[in-house]
Amino acid sequence: MTDREVRSVVSRTAGDAEPPPTSFTEEYFDRRYARAPDPWGLASRWYERRKYAITLASLPRERYRACFEPGCSIGELTRLLAPRCDRLLAVDFAEDAVRQARAAVRDLDHVEVRRSTLPAQLPDGPFDLVVVSEILYYLSRDDLDLMLDGLVGLLEAGGDLVAVHWRTTDPRHRYDGHDVHLAIEARGELERLVHHSDEQFVLDVFRRTGAA
Ligand SMILES: C[S@@+](CC[C@H](N)C(=O)[O-])C[C@H]1O[C@@H](n2cnc3c(N)ncnc32)[C@H](O)[C@@H]1O
């Protein structure tokens, strides 16, 4: 990282940018997958491997009954979450991502990959784990609100919501992990258990309050 990038990371604060005016479209992501089957290098980059390792190590419980993973892309994180869950539902709206994710988990009977547009097609709960990785900052403010309402609604009391998002070093202050996690934190029904923040990403684990 250059000195300039370090300075811009340090100067970023949560809440210093706005969500995109409209949510990124399915067509935008279809184009990305048409140009490169793994547009973010999820299967190859150290950033992703390190992020996945920290995400898995941050899950408070060894096993979960039912996990929901929105925006699963090609199924890299899906495969890693699978051994920790009795049942796992992973969704994405990009057809090519769904095809690749299904291939990645074809040997895992307890994992289902569904093509869904979020937040309109959120599944019915309850889930005791939701893992939301690198998707929320693609949503407009209205869709983000609906998504967070929906995710909290399908999480059972005592269930865990894990959010992990990239922090931009862009000095123009694009909406990023800082800002998205601030929006989650603002929800009254969630108690924060874990907070990890470094120069690359921010990760939080929240527990849905109201457990008996
Ligand atoms: C950066 S990738 C996610 C990477 C993956 N969660 C991980 O961390 O390994 C973002 C994914 O979210 C999907 N996505 C974005 N907006 C969506 C929406 N509104 N509904 C469903 N999927 C969406 C995209 O198609 C893309 O595959």
Side-chain angles (χ1 to χ4, degrees):
M1 199 181 296
T2 65
D3 287 350
R4 182 167 171 211
E5 282 172 333
V6 169
R7 274 197 303 280
S8 69
V9 165
V10 171
S11 70
R12 287 296 312 257
T13 56
D16 61 2
E18 293 295 314
T22 56
S23 294
F24 283 62
T25 62
E26 195 179 313
E27 292 70 29
Y28 166 84
F29 287 99
D30 285 345
R31 282 196 298 275
R32 301 247 1 208
Y33 285 104
R35 281 203 298 272
D38 178 6
W40 298 275
L42 303 178
S44 57
R45 285 177 55 218
W46 170 241
Y47 167 85
E48 302 295 343
R49 295 210 309 281
R50 175 172 170 271
K51 183 190 75 180
Y52 294 150
I54 292 174
T55 302
L56 292 167
S58 301
L59 296 181
R61 296 179 175 128
E62 187 174 5
R63 282 199 73 78
Y64 290 86
R65 186 180 47 73
C67 171
F68 176 54
E69 186 202 358
C72 63
S73 186
I74 62 172
E76 284 296 314
L77 180 57
T78 317
R79 266 202 82 80
L80 296 169
L81 288 169
R84 304 283 294 270
C85 315
D86 297 338
R87 193 169 67 79
L88 169 53
L89 173 63
V91 308
D92 204 289
F93 64 4
E95 191 173 3
D96 195 59
V98 168
R99 184 186 55 73
Q100 292 191 66
R102 283 189 179 138
V105 298
R106 63 179 166 267
D107 54 334
L108 302 173
D109 290 342
H110 66 299
V111 180
E112 181 188 354
V113 180
R114 218 180 265 172
R115 191 167 174 208
S116 304
T117 298
L118 303 172
Q121 295 174 316
L122 279 164
D124 293 330
F127 292 85
D128 60 350
L129 177 64
V130 172
V131 179
V132 55
S133 171
E134 317 271 18
I135 173 173
L136 294 179
Y137 40 51
Y138 295 115
L139 301 178
S140 67
R141 182 176 298 287
D142 286 351
D143 280 350
L144 179 63
D145 285 347
L146 287 171
M147 182 84 154
L148 293 181
D149 285 348
L151 293 180
V152 171
L154 57 75
L155 191 61
E156 67 188 28
D160 294 334
L161 169 69
V162 180
V164 54
H165 290 87
W166 174 68
R167 294 174 67 172
T168 182
T169 55
D170 185 340
R172 289 168 300 170
H173 289 186
R174 285 173 44 201
Y175 197 66
D176 76 347
H178 289 279
D179 304 298
V180 165
H181 285 227
L182 190 71
I184 305 174
E185 254 175 77
R187 314 254 349 168
E189 317 90 324
L190 299 171
E191 174 196 3
R192 183 152 64 188
L193 302 182
V194 176
H195 177 66
H196 168 99
S197 174
D198 61 33
E199 75 273 19
Q200 295 188 308
F201 65 85
V202 54
L203 175 144
D204 285 291
V205 179
F206 298 93
R207 182 153 293 163
R208 173 88 149 96
T209 53

